[in-house]
Amino acid sequence: MPDPGPSPQRPGPTAAPARFGAPSLADALAPVTGTAEAAAVGGRVLPTRPVRPFGTAPVPEAAAPAPAHEPAPAGPAHSAAALERILRGPAGLGTVSLHWARTEEPPAAPEPAAPAASRPIPGLYHHPVAEPDPVRVEELGRRIKAWAVDEVRAFPPEWEDQFDGFSVSRYMVACHPDAPTLDHLMLAARLMVAENVVDDAYCEDGATSPDVGGRLLLAHTALDPVHTTGEYQPAWEESLSSDAARRSYRSAMEYFTGAATPAQADRFRHDMARLHLGYLAEAAWDATEYVPEVWEYLAMRQFNNFRPCPTITDTVGGYELPAELHALPAMQRVIALAGNATTLSNDLYSYMKELKSPGKHLNLPVVIAEKEGLSDKEAYLKAVEVHNDLMHAFEAESAALAAACPDPRAARFLKGVAAWVDGNHYWHASNTYRYTLPDFW
Amino acid sequence: MPDPGPSPQRPGPTAAPARFGAPSLADALAPVTGTAEAAAVGGRVLPTRPVRPFGTAPVPEAAAPAPAHEPAPAGPAHSAAALERILRGPAGLGTVSLHWARTEEPPAAPEPAAPAASRPIPGLYHHPVAEPDPVRVEELGRRIKAWAVDEVRAFPPEWEDQFDGFSVSRYMVACHPDAPTLDHLMLAARLMVAENVVDDAYCEDGATSPDVGGRLLLAHTALDPVHTTGEYQPAWEESLSSDAARRSYRSAMEYFTGAATPAQADRFRHDMARLHLGYLAEAAWDATEYVPEVWEYLAMRQFNNFRPCPTITDTVGGYELPAELHALPAMQRVIALAGNATTLSNDLYSYMKELKSPGKHLNLPVVIAEKEGLSDKEAYLKAVEVHNDLMHAFEAESAALAAACPDPRAARFLKGVAAWVDGNHYWHASNTYRYTLPDFW
């Protein structure tokens, strides 16, 4: 998984690039025992707050009552504007056909992200998005922090400010503009946090550790459960609360399966298996100091990829893309292209940060420079073009598939993937303290 | 993947335990270039014999014309007997409800495997199966060898006798008694051969190689294709013909996707991602000389598992278990239990062989002995009980699911999984030269 990480806790020109899950956090992720969470039933730790059974109602029906802790909206005009913005979907060049709801009137121009907070990479093909609803961002932030701190203890209390800097609520609200309720957004936010905890704890700081294969498989069982005998099942179940990574995966997945259909959960498990294979390939190359060919790097990056995030867009949106439509080769290709484009965008935004990190951190510009004998600047600009080509291919093939597939759920899913790509770009571009850009223009 | 391997080429009390894919075979799997296969179109290697579009017709309709090269049946009586045997399905204690087709008359007792060729582990809960149709075995053997030798060059010509000893045709005919045609059986046989080639080339002889993570991911792209730009796509496509492992995966998957629905292909890819995660966990433990807890070993073995084989039973049977039914938690549990039972059976049959191999080869008896302080005999007998418990759980939960799910495809699929488990046991028990048993009784 690309590591979006947080904004640094104390931003400033001289601040060291910090992130949620930096080594000191990883060190702090040791097992904690004897807490209330350990008061489990049959070795199975239950979440302290049951998931609301909001099912798969489509958006119009799901313009739902505000959650108990959500600040009351300012009034009908505010609500209507917020709903209209949510339903409007992605905006910008090339997204004319990607609106959630058509109206007789032309949609209003989106509110751009605050200029001071956004610095897109010059020449990077992308679509600006409306500024995420601040009311949702605030309440989602409160809820996801409560989950991370109180329910799964993803990090010790002294790291709460780091977690706040991660801005996961702004991220997820930007990526899921059609989520009908905060409960739906929480599904995405928990998984995003959990994926970052696992990546940080098992991969980023332990990529060359030869036991990462065993550790990741045991973490994967928090998503894809073990079925064994009565004698050995409890020890496995207990293992799921034994570190922050597994606690986070397990709880986030439990909420997710409570809302998703079995086929949606199976799809997510598959994407996570791909992600873990990608982690292990990258770890193997790191351990052997192997610099892959560009095509090999691109193949690995299709697995170590944001894909698990956009492909839950239907669950977060409160509907289901049927498994048969999801499995269509054309749909699989569109999902892969979107995942690859958005993942390479992460490579480009994190280029300077990764240059400063110890050792050689593989990313597309670095691999192109080494394997094709280009200067750093030439390689970076070529990587931008690779990204742009993938974005254009994604949009062209997505439009063709939407036109060819009469099922409205396919069209909505494709819009949701596009919205995720745009929201992910917004989040990266607005993290100007984290993602400084090279001086190539 | 458990390594079923072949019977040794020259069996005898003093013969070294040889197998298809032994180190010298792996050494021989180096890329071969400049052959007819390299005459590819646009970097894409096409099979020399196109797959027959036999679709997903159900069994009754698919009692099909004999393939062009299939020996003509002896006559109507022969055909009827063969068909009846195929439709009869698994037999033996506990399989009363697991018949393919119900008739007014009680089914005839199955032909047992030739006693001289079968030595089941004492106390191992299993069901004997009818001896595989020798006509099918012979013709499938001829075809799969032609594919392995001529189409994908899975091994050099001098290893053909070793390949013959693998007996993959007898294996697959035993595991898929409801396959309507030899073309359907070929789908399973190609994948089984390919999985063994990859395991042998990348894992069994390179488990401690730190680059196995990168190699397996690139092999996985032969099943789950890369989608990248026009500049880099051809190099990836060319890579798929660069070694025997990828040639085998790629070709077997191409035939499979030509016959399976997209959802069936997606299911298979997911199971293969699981398998590769299991390989990498086992490799990590091997590299670090880590002896896992028994529950950890069982968790790993649920991934490094036969699962990809039985879950294609519907494609090989010419029908489809719909994705929604496949994803049901109860179905996932039954599949996992069946996969775990049949995989642990492999541990038990290969115990003596693995004891003789260099280094410590993890299997369930070895892990139980070390972690629970039991003697080798006690640990082995306990492992038999673990297997039996999983078999009983599989059968009980399979029967409950079949009763609860009214869709006849679910019932047929569950019977197909049971047939695969029984056929796999038959294959192991009849490889008496390969799988000698310990003297524990």
Side-chain angles (χ1 to χ4, degrees):
Chain A
M1 168 84 54
D3 171 28
S7 299
Q9 183 180 346
R10 284 177 297 277
T14 59
R19 64 183 172 83
F20 168 55
S24 45
L25 172 58
D27 294 341
L29 294 178
V32 181
T33 56
T35 69
E37 186 184 44
V41 178
R44 184 163 175 75
V45 179
L46 298 174
T48 56
R49 182 168 55 189
V51 68
R52 186 182 305 192
F54 48 75
T56 58
V59 166
E61 290 77 9
H69 298 287
E70 188 164 23
H78 172 99
S79 295
L83 182 61
E84 195 268 338
R85 189 163 58 239
I86 291 164
L87 293 175
R88 190 188 308 142
L93 195 65
T95 59
V96 171
S97 68
L98 295 178
H99 288 271
W100 299 113
R102 286 269 172 208
T103 64
E104 294 304 306
E105 299 171 43
E111 296 176 31
S118 181
R119 187 185 168 193
I121 291 170
L124 191 78
Y125 180 66
H126 72 281
H127 305 296
V129 301
E131 184 72 6
D133 178 350
V135 176
R136 284 200 151 192
V137 169
E138 181 179 348
E139 176 60 11
L140 183 65
R142 193 193 63 73
R143 290 198 194 182
I144 189 61
K145 186 170 170 180
W147 174 80
V149 172
D150 300 331
E151 278 193 56
V152 298
R153 290 172 291 120
F155 49 84
E158 59 269 27
W159 284 87
E160 285 187 32
D161 287 344
Q162 283 276 345
F163 180 82
D164 294 342
F166 182 47
S167 301
V168 66
S169 62
R170 190 165 59 89
Y171 193 0
M172 293 297 95
V173 174
C175 285
H176 294 283
D178 70 333
T181 70
L182 282 164
D183 281 337
H184 289 82
L185 284 167
M186 276 293 287
L187 300 173
R190 285 189 210 93
L191 289 170
M192 172 60 80
V193 170
E195 288 151 9
N196 274 271
V197 169
V198 172
D199 190 17
D200 288 344
Y202 288 1
C203 300
E204 292 288 333
D205 302 317
T208 59
S209 167
D211 71 345
V212 66
R215 299 179 77 195
L216 270 179
L217 182 135
L218 294 178
H220 192 79
T221 68
L223 310 173
D224 192 2
V226 172
H227 298 276
T228 192
T229 66
E231 180 176 359
Y232 297 108
Q233 190 83 11
W236 165 72
E237 290 177 350
E238 287 162 18
S239 77
L240 301 183
S241 57
S242 65
D243 64 14
R246 282 176 278 190
R247 285 196 301 272
S248 301
Y249 260 1
R250 183 194 169 285
S251 173
M253 190 66 182
E254 188 165 70
Y255 281 104
F256 185 74
T257 55
T261 69
Q264 288 175 315
D266 194 58
R267 179 204 308 171
F268 178 74
R269 285 187 195 100
H270 187 177
D271 283 345
M272 291 301 290
R274 289 182 169 110
L275 176 65
H276 293 152
L277 282 177
Y279 285 165
L280 294 174
E282 186 175 53
W285 290 343
D286 186 47
T288 55
E289 299 184 356
Y290 176 69
V291 179
E293 299 299 324
V294 177
W295 72 264
E296 290 177 321
Y297 178 79
L298 291 167
M300 180 277 288
R301 211 69 172 104
Q302 182 171 300
F303 289 78
N304 181 353
N305 191 287
F306 278 125
R307 179 177 177 135
C309 306
T311 67
I312 63 170
T313 184
D314 55 340
T315 306
V316 180
Y319 67 101
E320 181 181 17
L321 176 71
E324 295 78 20
L325 297 182
H326 173 260
L328 289 175
M331 184 69 77
Q332 291 288 303
R333 175 163 169 78
V334 168
I335 293 168
L337 289 167
N340 290 347
T342 201
T343 298
L344 295 182
S345 169
N346 175 270
D347 272 22
L348 293 163
Y349 276 102
S350 57
Y351 176 75
M352 291 300 287
K353 179 174 72 70
E354 291 175 355
L355 272 187
K356 294 173 186 165
S357 65
K360 175 176 289 190
H361 195 113
L362 293 182
N363 58 43
L364 184 58
V366 163
V367 175
I368 288 177
E370 178 146 342
K371 289 300 186 177
E372 301 184 358
L374 299 185
S375 71
D376 290 348
K377 176 179 175 178
E378 290 168 334
Y380 190 94
L381 297 180
K382 180 168 183 181
V384 169
E385 292 307 311
V386 172
H387 164 274
N388 291 354
D389 287 351
L390 290 169
M391 276 291 286
H392 293 308
F394 157 57
E395 293 189 347
E397 303 211 19
S398 180
L401 177 56
C405 183
D407 193 307
R409 294 167 295 186
R412 185 174 172 193
F413 181 86
L414 292 167
K415 291 174 190 171
V417 172
W420 201 95
V421 170
D422 296 342
N424 189 53
H425 177 270
Y426 157 81
W427 188 89
H428 280 79
S430 59
N431 272 266
T432 50
Y433 291 114
R434 175 174 172 77
Y435 297 126
T436 58
L437 300 185
D439 186 21
F440 288 156
W441 298 275
Chain B
M1 168 87 49
D3 171 28
S7 297
Q9 181 180 348
R10 284 177 295 276
T14 60
R19 61 181 172 82
F20 169 54
S24 44
L25 172 58
D27 294 342
L29 294 178
V32 180
T33 57
T35 70
E37 187 183 43
V41 177
R44 184 161 176 77
V45 179
L46 298 173
T48 57
R49 182 168 53 190
V51 68
R52 185 180 307 194
F54 48 77
T56 57
V59 166
E61 290 76 9
H69 296 287
E70 189 163 22
H78 173 100
S79 296
L83 183 61
E84 194 266 340
R85 189 163 59 242
I86 291 164
L87 294 175
R88 190 189 308 144
L93 194 65
T95 60
V96 171
S97 67
L98 296 178
H99 287 273
W100 299 112
R102 286 267 172 212
T103 65
E104 294 304 305
E105 300 172 43
E111 296 176 32
S118 182
R119 187 184 169 195
I121 291 169
L124 191 77
Y125 179 67
H126 72 281
H127 306 296
V129 302
E131 185 71 7
D133 178 350
V135 176
R136 283 198 153 194
V137 169
E138 182 179 347
E139 176 61 10
L140 183 65
R142 192 192 63 73
R143 291 197 194 183
I144 189 63
K145 186 169 170 180
W147 174 80
V149 172
D150 301 330
E151 277 191 59
V152 299
R153 292 173 290 119
F155 49 83
E158 59 268 28
W159 285 86
E160 285 186 32
D161 286 345
Q162 282 276 346
F163 180 82
D164 294 343
F166 182 46
S167 301
V168 66
S169 61
R170 190 164 58 89
Y171 193 0
M172 293 298 95
V173 174
C175 284
H176 293 283
D178 70 333
T181 72
L182 282 164
D183 282 337
H184 289 83
L185 284 167
M186 276 294 287
L187 301 174
R190 286 189 209 93
L191 289 170
M192 173 60 81
V193 170
E195 289 151 8
N196 275 271
V197 170
V198 172
D199 190 17
D200 288 344
Y202 288 2
C203 300
E204 291 288 333
D205 303 316
T208 59
S209 167
D211 71 345
V212 66
R215 300 179 76 195
L216 270 179
L217 182 136
L218 294 179
H220 192 77
T221 70
L223 310 173
D224 191 1
V226 171
H227 299 276
T228 192
T229 67
E231 178 176 0
Y232 297 108
Q233 190 83 11
W236 165 72
E237 289 177 351
E238 286 161 18
S239 78
L240 301 183
S241 56
S242 65
D243 64 14
R246 282 176 278 189
R247 284 196 301 271
S248 302
Y249 260 2
R250 183 194 167 285
S251 173
M253 190 66 181
E254 187 165 70
Y255 281 104
F256 186 74
T257 54
T261 68
Q264 287 175 316
D266 194 57
R267 180 204 308 170
F268 178 73
R269 286 187 194 100
H270 187 177
D271 283 346
M272 293 300 290
R274 288 183 169 110
L275 176 65
H276 293 152
L277 282 177
Y279 284 165
L280 294 174
E282 187 175 51
W285 289 345
D286 186 47
T288 55
E289 299 185 357
Y290 176 69
V291 179
E293 299 297 325
V294 177
W295 72 264
E296 290 177 321
Y297 178 79
L298 291 167
M300 181 277 287
R301 210 69 172 106
Q302 181 171 300
F303 289 78
N304 181 354
N305 192 288
F306 278 126
R307 178 178 177 136
C309 306
T311 68
I312 63 170
T313 184
D314 55 340
T315 306
V316 180
Y319 66 101
E320 181 181 18
L321 176 72
E324 295 77 20
L325 297 182
H326 172 258
L328 288 174
M331 184 68 77
Q332 291 288 304
R333 176 164 168 76
V334 167
I335 292 168
L337 289 167
N340 289 347
T342 200
T343 298
L344 295 182
S345 170
N346 175 269
D347 272 21
L348 292 162
Y349 275 103
S350 57
Y351 175 76
M352 291 300 287
K353 178 174 72 70
E354 291 175 355
L355 271 188
K356 294 172 187 166
S357 64
K360 176 176 288 189
H361 195 114
L362 293 183
N363 59 42
L364 185 58
V366 163
V367 175
I368 288 177
E370 178 145 343
K371 289 300 187 177
E372 300 185 358
L374 299 185
S375 71
D376 291 347
K377 176 179 175 178
E378 291 167 334
Y380 189 94
L381 296 179
K382 181 168 183 181
V384 169
E385 291 308 311
V386 171
H387 165 273
N388 291 354
D389 286 352
L390 289 169
M391 276 291 286
H392 293 309
F394 157 58
E395 293 188 348
E397 304 211 17
S398 180
L401 177 56
C405 182
D407 193 307
R409 294 167 296 187
R412 185 173 172 194
F413 181 86
L414 292 167
K415 291 174 190 170
V417 172
W420 201 95
V421 170
D422 295 343
N424 189 53
H425 177 270
Y426 157 80
W427 189 88
H428 280 78
S430 59
N431 271 267
T432 50
Y433 292 113
R434 175 174 172 78
Y435 297 126
T436 57
L437 300 185
D439 185 22
F440 289 155
W441 297 276

